[in-house]
Amino acid sequence: MSTAQEVTREVVAERLRGLMAELLEMEPADLDDEVPLSAFGIDSMTSSVLLADVEKWYGVRLESTGSLGSLTLTDMAEEVVAVLRRHPEEN
């Protein structure tokens, strides 16, 4: 597992983009990091898989899970990094 010092917003966003592309059967290049996930048709099943993978990869639970569709990939990546930095001892 990565430590908080090794995890950057860019690294997290790239990983999330790849997963989202796979889940939505799209090319990663077609996912804009600044567009809300709801614009890509994310549903509750996709959200659940995405959140489970974030928890598995980084050991964090996102606080904004209720509004996941309104987040962008950048927002999610920033939240992952922020949680890791607030609680480095848990990771």
Side-chain angles (χ1 to χ4, degrees), residues 22-54:
E22 182 180 325
L23 291 171
L24 298 174
E25 299 178 354
M26 299 174 68
E27 291 298 320
D30 293 337
L31 294 171
D32 185 329
D33 289 357
E34 301 302 324
V35 173
L37 299 178
S38 60
F40 300 114
I42 191 171
D43 58 18
S44 60
M45 177 68 91
T46 307
S47 295
S48 296
V49 171
L50 187 61
L51 293 172
D53 281 348
V54 166

Side-chain angles (χ1 to χ4, degrees), residues 27-87:
E27 291 298 320
D30 293 337
L31 294 171
D32 185 329
D33 289 357
E34 301 302 324
V35 173
L37 299 178
S38 60
F40 300 114
I42 191 171
D43 58 18
S44 60
M45 177 68 91
T46 307
S47 295
S48 296
V49 171
L50 187 61
L51 293 172
D53 281 348
V54 166
E55 187 171 348
K56 180 177 76 177
W57 291 335
Y58 300 109
V60 300
R61 287 183 173 233
L62 297 183
E63 298 168 1
S64 58
T65 58
S67 60
L68 192 61
S70 65
L71 297 178
T72 66
L73 289 173
T74 297
D75 295 334
M76 285 187 67
E78 287 174 351
E79 187 170 342
V80 168
V81 172
V83 171
L84 286 172
R85 289 186 179 149
R86 280 195 307 266
H87 306 287

